[in-house]
Amino acid sequence: MAERPGIALFQCQWCLFSPTDQDWVDNHLPNNIYLTKTPCTGRINPLYVLNAVQGGADGVMISGCLPEQCHFVTGNITARRQLEEFNDFLNHIGYEKQRVRFVWLDLQDRGMIQKELAAFEEELKNLGRAANLVTRMKVAEGEQNA
Amino acid sequence: MNFILEKQALPDLLQTWRANFDVYLPQNLERFTHFMPLAAEGVTVINEPHNTRIPPKALFLPMTETLVKFTRFGGYENAKHEIEPRIVFALRPCDAQAVQLLDTSFLQVKYSDPFWLERREKTITVALGCHEPCDNGFCTTVGYGPFNKADLDAMLTDLGDFYLVETFSEAAETCFNGFANASETICVQALEVQQRAHDQMPVAFETENLKEKLEQNFSSNYWDKVSLSCLGCGVCTFLCPTCFCFDIVDETQRRERVRNWDSCMFRTYSLEASGHNPRPSRVERTRQRLSHKYVYWLDQVNQIGCTGCGRCVRYCPVGLDIRSMLRQAQSLPFEVSHAS
Amino acid sequence: MPDIEAIKSEAKRLLSEGMVEVMLAFKAGETPLHPQPAFFRTPDDVDELVYSSLNQNNLATYLTRLPKESKVSMVVRGCENRSVNALVVEKQKSRDNLYLIGVPCEGILDWRKIVAKAGEAVKSVNESEQEVMVESRSGYYLVERKELLHDSCMRCSHPNPVSADILIGEPLAESDSNLAREAVEEFEALSVKERYAWFRKEAERCIRCYACREACPMCYCTECFVDHIEPRWTESGATPAGMQAWHIVRAFHQTGRCTSCGACERACPMDIKMTYLTEKLNHDMKEKYNFETGLDAQTKPPFATVTLDDKNRFMV
């Protein structure tokens, strides 16, 4: 695979406690990672994930806080129930389960997000390009519709 | 011109057409029939007494069709659809009649729909008459019939081992070139079959003064009664061969302006930007659907806008029946208007 | 079959005593295959009431369309009763305003299967416990009941109403609840590619008439996500993206709310299979949270209840 796999990253704005990490995510993400910052993982509607999947993301990563560390007390647990089930459901209709990954970060962690993204990217490289459920035409910057 | 077409010769004929045309004919899909392009082999002609589930209007007005493509920097161009010359084979006379009814809307003197026009011009319709009555149809009731010839290029009548082919246009004649001409006796025989089929169709309701009755009882509680159990889905309108409402939306991700089928039974159909909905409930929407077919279409082109194919009766999830609705309408009070 | 006269006399009693304003049940339709849902408001109306295995709709779908405070009585089967319970849990209707006449259900006959067996122009359908006699244009057909049952009814594990106010007829044996699980497991045994091919084949037949949505008692949102303009969640045409998104999200929104009644599938004009999606979600809810929809009118569905207790499962 010549290109790097495309990753849609949904990040809870509270989960990266370290300013260095947050700065890296905000300003220095590689081009193949598309960031969506949310106020809490609880805000991530399964439709967001579906949109990323249909739009051709090779993988979806959701990073949030650990249980009991949620800024909004239960947002992350709600999200986990829903999104985990949504992942199972997508798998049921033919989207590989490994393509959706949850990263639950401890507020004490430093530099975890880079490592996790690198590991995820490595796994996605082995899986290859996503084909199933990719139904929306990709419109790359400055390109004609593919 | 009248030809005789042996049933055995039909598969070969269809394959010969395939050289110059896209041939569409009803084929089995799951548990129903659907108009699909003819494959290279292994196709049987289905002559069961029922209709395809999706009416052939979908061949002229696709469910989703791109009208305009946008470019990144504000420009746009009209979409081009490559439409090959095609033959629609074995469509039923009710559906062919419906396409003619839709012409009155899409091909008006001042404005005509270019996509519809192109598809119509490039299509030869070869109908298969219904020698056996279908289950829920009521074509004779609304003034058409199982061998209704409006807007056809050719029609087939099943006479046992062979079909009698009646052609009504030159294009269709060339399609059947080389087949034996039918004798007088066979034509008479076919007429009998057609007459018998016509007589077998039951009269589902009286159409006399129906228009006045529906029109004058616009605010009657009759509409509440008939729409009571309506779910508000779009089955009746989407499967109706004469329903043609569409909705134009911009698919911004694909940079396209798209035309989709729409249905007057949906809440969003008449919802205005202000939030006001002139047809707020299923009562008004049911009234619109029935009145469009049995009142407004008569006002506009003096034809009933229903061809009696029976799809809405058969597939309504709650068993609502337009025939019984109109039968009930017959007992509504009305006054004869002297205007006409 | 339950005693229809008993249902009628109970319904008449309720209406004449003024205990309820409206009685939800079926009346005979124009064609023998399609009984119609009906709203009976006077005791005399009730004479039209019919009960047969051809009653294909889930009547609970009308509950949210009636005024919230109105007192309603319904003839409910197992699945309908569970749907009512689910609606009560979601506070769409107060249980005090409902009077449920329960009927043990022997399964709904799929009219499409009847037509496939007996051919066009069905004139009458007579059923007994084991067999169904169909008269059509081409003659008489005696078919085993099992062969004509709707797919979701074959997997049904709760045919008896769970919280009816009065039960008419003898309760049936609760059948093996493994059938639904086996169906899910059988599907999951296919490869990812095959599963997607199946999903695609089914979803892309969709004409987006939303009959599944309207037939479903749990689909009562005033504005469905597909009708949103801003934000536009998905393409609104019959495009692969739009059709697939509709089927995914419609099913997913039913997580922990679907009672596997199969009304969506029966309403579909394109014979699209949909229960294999909701069965999976129901299966997961049962496995993960030991939750089955509508078994009582108090337990909230898993997505509405979060506890810190289940955190460990997510530590991946």
Side-chain angles (χ1 to χ4, degrees), chain A residues 33-52:
Chain A
I33 300 174
Y34 188 90
L35 170 72
T36 309
K37 246 167 118 174
T38 59
C40 175
T41 36
R43 182 66 189 90
I44 303 172
N45 192 319
L47 271 158
Y48 297 178
V49 180
L50 181 65
N51 254 337

Side-chain angles (χ1 to χ4, degrees), chain C residues 241-252:
Chain C
M243 292 187 278
Q244 293 188 2
W246 165 245
H247 281 267
I248 292 169
V249 179
R250 185 201 70 84
F252 192 70

Side-chain angles (χ1 to χ4, degrees), chain B residues 246-312:
Chain B
F246 53 79
D247 179 28
I248 294 177
V249 287
D250 286 351
E251 298 292 2
T252 41
Q253 284 203 343
R254 274 162 39 202
R255 298 205 205 102
E256 283 175 349
R257 177 161 294 173
V258 179
R259 169 162 76 183
N260 301 320
W261 284 4
D262 201 356
S263 162
C264 56
M265 303 305 284
F266 290 159
R267 186 185 67 92
T268 44
Y269 178 83
S270 52
L271 187 66
E272 293 168 6
S274 63
H276 171 67
N277 196 340
R279 289 187 209 129
S281 74
R282 291 174 187 86
V283 180
E284 290 85 9
R285 291 174 219 151
T286 308
R287 179 172 67 203
Q288 165 64 20
R289 181 171 83 88
L290 248 68
S291 301
H292 190 196
K293 304 222 176 296
Y294 285 89
V295 179
Y296 310 146
W297 221 312
L298 280 159
D299 281 339
Q300 286 161 358
V301 294
N302 206 17
Q303 273 178 297
I304 291 181
C306 166
T307 59
C309 70
R311 284 185 182 93
C312 55

Side-chain angles (χ1 to χ4, degrees), chain B residues 30-31 53 64 133 135 229 231 233-234 238 250-251 254 260 267 282 314 317-319 321 324 327, chain C residues 30 34 36-37 56-57 62 65 113 120-121 137 205 207-209 214 223 232 235-238 269 271:
Chain B
E30 299 297 306
R31 272 180 285 178
R53 198 152 295 183
T64 296
D135 201 355
S229 56
L231 289 173
C233 68
F238 280 3
D250 286 351
E251 298 292 2
R254 274 162 39 202
N260 301 320
R267 186 185 67 92
R282 291 174 187 86
R314 195 181 165 103
V318 291
D321 192 328
S324 107
R327 225 175 287 138
Chain C
E30 280 293 300
H34 300 288
Q36 280 179 22
Q56 63 160 348
N57 307 102
Y62 291 104
R65 292 158 198 240
K113 286 189 184 174
E120 292 293 306
R137 183 186 288 155
R205 229 167 34 240
I207 57 172
R208 309 209 59 181
C209 67
E214 304 297 341
E223 185 158 292
R232 265 192 82 220
E235 292 179 6
S236 44
D271 297 1

Side-chain angles (χ1 to χ4, degrees), chain B residues 14-145:
Chain B
L14 290 173
Q15 294 298 342
T16 6
W17 286 346
R18 227 166 66 92
N20 301 320
F21 296 96
D22 282 351
V23 182
Y24 286 86
L25 81 164
Q27 288 162 49
N28 285 321
L29 178 70
E30 299 297 306
R31 272 180 285 178
F32 54 91
T33 55
H34 187 64
F35 275 99
M36 289 194 277
L38 181 70
E41 51 192 27
V43 172
T44 49
V45 176
I46 302 157
N47 194 6
E48 299 286 321
H50 59 71
N51 252 317
T52 54
R53 198 152 295 183
I54 299 276
K57 74 168 176 185
L59 296 173
F60 302 97
L61 178 71
M63 270 182 253
T64 296
E65 181 178 35
T66 308
L67 303 178
V68 173
K69 279 181 188 283
F70 302 103
T71 53
R72 252 181 75 76
F73 303 103
Y76 69 90
E77 55 183 20
N78 288 337
K80 288 180 203 71
H81 298 287
E82 286 185 6
I83 301 156
E84 300 292 320
R86 51 192 191 162
I87 296 178
V88 179
F89 181 75
L91 81 167
R92 297 294 179 175
C94 49
D95 292 340
Q97 174 66 46
V99 174
Q100 185 264 320
L101 279 165
L102 293 182
D103 278 351
T104 62
S105 173
F106 284 106
L107 306 178
Q108 293 183 353
V109 182
K110 209 168 169 189
Y111 300 105
S112 66
D113 184 303
F115 299 127
W116 177 275
L117 182 66
E118 191 180 355
R119 289 201 170 91
R120 286 285 281 135
E121 278 175 347
K122 287 185 172 172
T123 307
I124 299 172
T125 45
V126 182
L128 179 58
C130 315
H131 66 290
E132 223 182 320
C134 62
D135 201 355
N136 299 310
F138 47 98
C139 47
T140 54
T141 312
V142 285
Y144 308 116

Side-chain angles (χ1 to χ4, degrees), chain C residues 69-273:
Chain C
E69 298 308 317
S70 61
K71 291 196 179 298
V72 184
S73 173
M74 274 174 77
V75 177
V76 289
R77 294 167 283 205
C79 51
E80 284 167 317
N81 195 164
R82 279 174 283 132
S83 294
V84 170
N85 279 346
L87 286 170
V88 171
V89 169
E90 295 182 10
K91 299 203 167 43
Q92 295 304 308
K93 196 82 192 169
S94 160
R95 184 67 180 82
D96 301 338
N97 290 337
L98 288 168
Y99 189 94
L100 305 178
I101 302 177
V103 178
C105 172
E106 286 161 336
I108 298 169
L109 302 178
D110 189 349
W111 70 268
R112 295 176 174 92
K113 286 189 184 174
I114 296 181
V115 171
K117 265 276 181 306
E120 292 293 306
V122 173
K123 292 194 187 89
S124 71
V125 180
N126 290 307
E127 45 176 325
S128 68
E129 259 172 48
Q130 296 300 325
E131 282 157 335
V132 181
M133 178 70 134
V134 187
E135 184 194 357
S136 76
R137 183 186 288 155
S138 49
Y140 290 87
Y141 296 83
L142 191 63
V143 194
E144 273 210 48
R145 198 185 172 85
K146 268 186 201 156
E147 288 179 46
L148 298 178
L149 279 187
H150 189 263
D151 292 352
S152 58
C153 296
M154 289 202 262
R155 297 189 293 263
C156 178
S157 53
H158 301 291
N160 298 310
V162 285
S163 65
D165 293 290
I166 179 175
L167 190 68
I168 289 172
E170 287 299 307
L172 298 163
E174 298 270 304
S175 45
D176 190 1
S177 63
N178 286 331
L179 289 169
R181 204 181 74 204
E182 279 163 20
V184 173
E185 278 166 3
E186 199 181 317
F187 187 73
E188 299 231 300
L190 299 173
S191 73
V192 169
K193 214 173 169 182
E194 287 167 323
R195 289 205 298 267
Y196 179 63
W198 168 270
F199 170 68
R200 205 184 143 142
K201 176 174 80 79
E202 293 296 322
E204 293 189 2
R205 229 167 34 240
C206 182
I207 57 172
R208 309 209 59 181
C209 67
Y210 304 130
C212 42
R213 173 180 80 189
E214 304 297 341
C216 177
M218 305 315 289
C219 271
Y220 57 76
C221 295
T222 358
E223 185 158 292
C224 184
F225 82 100
V226 285
D227 293 337
H228 274 283
I229 309 285
E230 192 64 48
R232 265 192 82 220
W233 292 112
T234 177
E235 292 179 6
S236 44
T239 53
M243 292 187 278
Q244 293 188 2
W246 165 245
H247 281 267
I248 292 169
V249 179
R250 185 201 70 84
F252 192 70
H253 197 189
Q254 304 296 339
T255 321
R257 307 167 71 231
C258 172
T259 53
S260 308
C261 67
C264 47
E265 219 171 82
R266 289 191 292 275
C268 182
M270 298 303 286
D271 297 1
I272 298 171
K273 298 265 186 301

